[in-house]
């Protein structure tokens, strides 16, 4: 159910407020461009600076706009287990297809603590859970052994893996089983990730180039790695350019160049340096987007 190219949706703002009309247009655009799923209110959706009410509003609007045409994986993570339960229960209640739950950041829990956290998220609602393992942001790393223990729970169905360690895919196939859904959380290594057994990517670049990212994913899943490499060569400069500064800022700038949304972000993030904009512009031209 969860395969292919799924943009980690930006949250558009206008004058500091949610821009829901633009959000709905983005949902339509992504579906038309071939995205196979939508992931609202992850880090790329600026979840750290949304209120709880804004967080829930964005998820509800995306689920309503998608209307079952593609699956919606709702961001539901927190470093607070009680807060995570609130978001998971909400995602289930409004009809999201899964909840994306990040490893608890800042607290630095042990592997045992992560098992307790994800078990609580699993048990609170009848909705599939995708683990989000991103040690570079959360400072904790869920081991393949821990993930294998959690994969025994019936509704913990997959992982968004942003470790950048391609060996993890094979290791997690051993501990979690080959049917466990493994999604890349890093655009630049998504080619190798799928070659190891991954089945898709929750992508930042897909905010800007959804059709190319969808075609790239389709090629890998068809086993046509020669074609996939051609797409990779076209997209790689954009993958790199978007992350010169925080990725969501780069994505919003690139989207603004395409007339899709404002480049507005919330503090403590700031707009891009002109030098970064120039690199993104060049990467967009290389990809044929400008």
């Amino acid at each position: 159910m969860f395969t292919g190219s799924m943009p980690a949706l930006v949250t558009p703002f206008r004058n500091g407020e949610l821009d829901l009309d633009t959000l709905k247009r983005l949902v339509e655009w992504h579906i038309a461009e071939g995205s196979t799923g939508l992931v609202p209110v992850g880090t790329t959706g600026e979840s750290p600076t949304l209120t709880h009410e804004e967080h829930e509003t964005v998820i509800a609007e995306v689920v309503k706009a998608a209307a079952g045409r593609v699956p919606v994986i709702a961001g539901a993570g927190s470093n607070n287990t009680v807060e995570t339960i609130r978001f998971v229960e909400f995602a289930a209640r409004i009809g999201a297809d899964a909840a994306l739950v990040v490893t608890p950041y800042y607290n630095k829990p042990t592997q045992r603590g992560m098992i307790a956290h994800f078990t609580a998220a699993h048990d609170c609602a009848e909705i599939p859970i995708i683990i989000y393992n991103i040690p570079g942001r959360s400072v904790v790393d869920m081991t393949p052994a821990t993930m294998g223990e959690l994969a025994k729970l019936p509704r913990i169905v997959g992982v968004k893996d942003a470790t950048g360690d391609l060996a993890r895919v094979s290791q997690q196939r051993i501990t979690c089983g080959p049917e466990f859904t493994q999604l890349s959380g890093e655009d630049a290594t998504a080619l190798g990730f799928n070659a190891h057994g991954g089945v898709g990517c929750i992508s930042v670049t897909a905010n800007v180039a959804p059709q190319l990212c969808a075609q790239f994913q389709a090629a890998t899943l068809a086993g046509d790695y020669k074609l996939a490499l051609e797409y990779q060569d076209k997209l790689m400069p954009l993958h790199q350019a978007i992350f010169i500064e925080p990725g969501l800022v780069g994505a919003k700038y690139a989207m603004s160049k395409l007339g899709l949304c404002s480049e507005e972000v919330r503090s403590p993030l700031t707009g891009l340096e002109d030098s970064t904009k120039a690199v993104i512009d060049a990467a967009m031209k290389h990809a044929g987007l400008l």
Side-chain angles (χ1 to χ4, degrees):
M1 182 179 187
F2 308 115
T3 64
S5 178
M6 293 168 277
L9 289 175
V10 301
T11 300
F13 300 123
R14 184 175 298 277
N15 299 322
E17 302 296 326
L18 296 179
D19 184 354
L20 296 180
D21 288 340
T22 295
L23 179 66
K24 294 170 192 175
R25 286 196 297 271
L26 288 177
V27 170
E28 294 300 326
W29 182 65
H30 280 299
I31 293 172
E33 291 286 291
S35 295
T36 53
L38 301 169
V39 187
V41 199
T43 312
T44 304
E46 294 180 74
S47 56
T49 55
L50 298 184
T51 66
H52 288 177
E53 290 73 21
E54 287 174 329
H55 180 127
E56 292 172 350
T57 295
V58 171
I59 290 170
E61 291 292 343
V62 171
V63 169
K64 182 178 178 181
R69 291 173 289 171
V70 296
V72 175
I73 303 173
S78 171
N79 65 337
N80 176 337
T81 303
V82 171
E83 190 172 81
T84 296
I85 288 170
R86 167 184 171 155
F87 289 142
V88 171
E89 289 178 337
F90 179 82
R93 190 163 62 249
I94 54 88
D97 297 282
L100 181 68
V101 178
V102 71
T103 49
Y105 44 86
Y106 194 78
N107 298 334
K108 297 182 73 173
T110 62
Q111 299 297 307
R112 184 166 54 89
M114 283 190 274
I115 288 173
H117 178 81
F118 279 90
T119 300
H122 169 275
D123 291 348
C124 76
E126 296 288 324
I127 186 173
I129 302 288
I130 306 287
I131 296 165
Y132 183 13
N133 193 26
I134 182 165
R137 286 186 183 270
S138 65
V139 197
V140 291
D141 182 6
M142 182 180 289
T143 67
T146 296
M147 200 170 294
E149 284 300 307
L150 288 168
K152 295 175 183 177
L153 298 172
R155 290 185 299 283
I156 293 190
V157 300
V159 60
K160 175 186 177 183
D161 187 311
T163 63
D165 179 1
L166 296 180
R168 285 292 181 95
V169 190
S170 296
Q171 292 164 355
Q172 287 158 186
R173 281 172 67 84
I174 292 169
T175 60
C176 302
E179 301 306 313
F180 191 70
T181 298
Q182 296 201 58
L183 304 169
S184 173
E186 186 184 68
D187 282 297
T189 57
L191 179 66
F193 190 94
N194 281 9
H196 277 257
V199 296
C201 183
I202 296 177
S203 168
V204 176
T205 303
N207 280 287
V208 182
Q211 187 176 98
L212 286 174
C213 289
Q215 291 168 337
F216 162 77
Q217 281 292 325
T220 67
L221 296 176
D224 190 346
Y225 281 92
K226 182 177 184 296
L227 177 59
L229 187 57
E230 293 176 11
Y231 285 117
Q232 176 83 343
D233 290 342
K234 185 176 284 190
L235 285 165
M236 191 65 179
L238 189 57
H239 295 330
Q240 294 177 308
I242 283 174
F243 281 95
I244 292 172
E245 296 184 46
L248 74 92
V249 186
K252 278 190 168 180
Y253 167 74
M255 293 171 76
S256 76
K257 295 284 290 188
L258 298 174
L260 295 168
C261 71
S262 163
E263 60 185 289
E264 183 178 338
V265 295
R266 281 186 174 171
S267 183
L269 298 179
T270 59
L272 298 180
E273 298 281 353
D274 287 343
S275 58
T276 302
K277 291 179 180 180
V279 178
I280 291 176
D281 290 347
M284 292 177 72
K285 289 175 184 175
H286 178 83
L289 300 175
L290 290 180

